[in-house]
Amino acid sequence: DTAVSQTPKYLVTQMGNDKSIKCEQNLGHDTMYWYKQDSKKFLKIMFSYNNKELIINETVPNRFSPKSPDKAHLNLHINSLELGDSAVYFCASSQGIGSGNTIYFGEGSWLTVV
Amino acid sequence: AQSVTQLGSHVSVSEGALVLLRCNYSSSVPPYLFWYVQYPNQGLQLLLKYTTGATLVKGINGFEAEFKKSETSFHLTKPSAHMSDAAEYFCALDGSSNTGKLIFGQGTTLQVKP
């Protein structure tokens, strides 16, 4: 069983469209994240949620809206997609928050905006 | 400000040779440090982490890293490289006040030559 699974893995869409990426973890973790990896492979946190509550919003544009219906799910909705949104988006989870808790990453969602 | 610097964006070794990937960090609080590996078109997999205690940390696939506070370093080593070790390696710092935010280095691409 995949611990952190996200769908779709590949997504090609036009500028201006709205799209969602879904994420589910079956590890029983309390904390979930979205990270973004740009074309230079640089990784940066976007959001973190603990027990469905938003902990970090790392200066992400309002067009990005995470939603956590329960502790096992953290979906990412993106409105009015722009060319610069093309990246790999990683969902992740950890048992607790901070304090050296291991963060487990999903396989990534490759988003290409044309 | 907290930061992670990986020296060398690209490292090339021969199969069977020593692997050394360098990571230096800056943190105002005791850091938790991680090494992750990313194979092409895949997610990030944890190799090892340092939280507290023993400064020499052993991980998966024969990798190990040593935390040196005086040098603010956490270099990753493996005595003998395998072809399967070719991948992108990321050093990361969790120096947060319980936000779960990982600060990543720029990544190092490891090439293993036959």
Side-chain angles (χ1 to χ4, degrees), chain A residues 23-75:
Chain A
C23 179
E24 176 182 5
Q25 54 95 2
N26 63 5
L27 298 168
H29 288 168
D30 290 336
T31 308
M32 295 187 72
Y33 312 82
W34 280 105
Y35 277 80
K36 179 180 179 180
Q37 185 174 43
D38 64 22
S39 58
K40 295 183 180 179
K41 298 190 177 180
F42 182 68
L43 282 149
K44 187 176 179 182
I45 193 168
M46 300 174 69
F47 302 101
S48 69
Y49 271 72
N50 190 50
N51 285 318
K52 302 194 302 175
E53 303 253 340
L54 179 67
I55 304 298
I56 292 179
N57 178 340
E58 194 75 357
T59 61
V60 178
N62 291 338
R63 298 183 296 103
F64 291 79
S65 54
K67 284 186 172 50
S68 182
D70 55 58
K71 287 197 307 182
H73 296 84
L74 180 62
N75 304 321

Side-chain angles (χ1 to χ4, degrees), chain A:
Chain A
D1 276 349
T2 303
V4 181
S5 59
Q6 50 186 114
T7 56
K9 180 158 186 175
Y10 299 103
L11 182 57
V12 180
T13 188
Q14 291 188 327
M15 278 174 42
N17 283 352
D18 302 339
K19 291 294 176 185
S20 293
I21 306 172
K22 295 185 176 181
C23 179
E24 176 182 5
Q25 54 95 2
N26 63 5
L27 298 168
H29 288 168
D30 290 336
T31 308
M32 295 187 72
Y33 312 82
W34 280 105
Y35 277 80
K36 179 180 179 180
Q37 185 174 43
D38 64 22
S39 58
K40 295 183 180 179
K41 298 190 177 180
F42 182 68
L43 282 149
K44 187 176 179 182
I45 193 168
M46 300 174 69
F47 302 101
S48 69
Y49 271 72
N50 190 50
N51 285 318
K52 302 194 302 175
E53 303 253 340
L54 179 67
I55 304 298
I56 292 179
N57 178 340
E58 194 75 357
T59 61
V60 178
N62 291 338
R63 298 183 296 103
F64 291 79
S65 54
K67 284 186 172 50
S68 182
D70 55 58
K71 287 197 307 182
H73 296 84
L74 180 62
N75 304 321
L76 183 65
H77 188 75
I78 315 171
N79 290 326
S80 303
L81 279 155
E82 300 176 357
L83 292 176
D85 297 332
S86 295
V88 185
Y89 293 87
F90 286 102
C91 181
S93 73
S94 62
Q95 178 60 55
I97 192 160
S99 301
N101 274 283
T102 298
I103 296 179
Y104 296 87
F105 287 82
E107 293 289 295
S109 294
W110 270 251
L111 173 64
T112 302
V113 183
V114 297

Side-chain angles (χ1 to χ4, degrees), chain B residues 37 39 45-47 59-64 77-80 82 84-85 89:
Chain B
V37 60
Y39 298 102
Q45 181 182 8
L46 180 72
L47 281 175
I60 62 170
N61 301 340
F63 285 94
E64 63 182 36
T77 60
K78 181 174 180 178
S80 176
H82 295 160
S84 60
D85 294 327
Y89 291 80

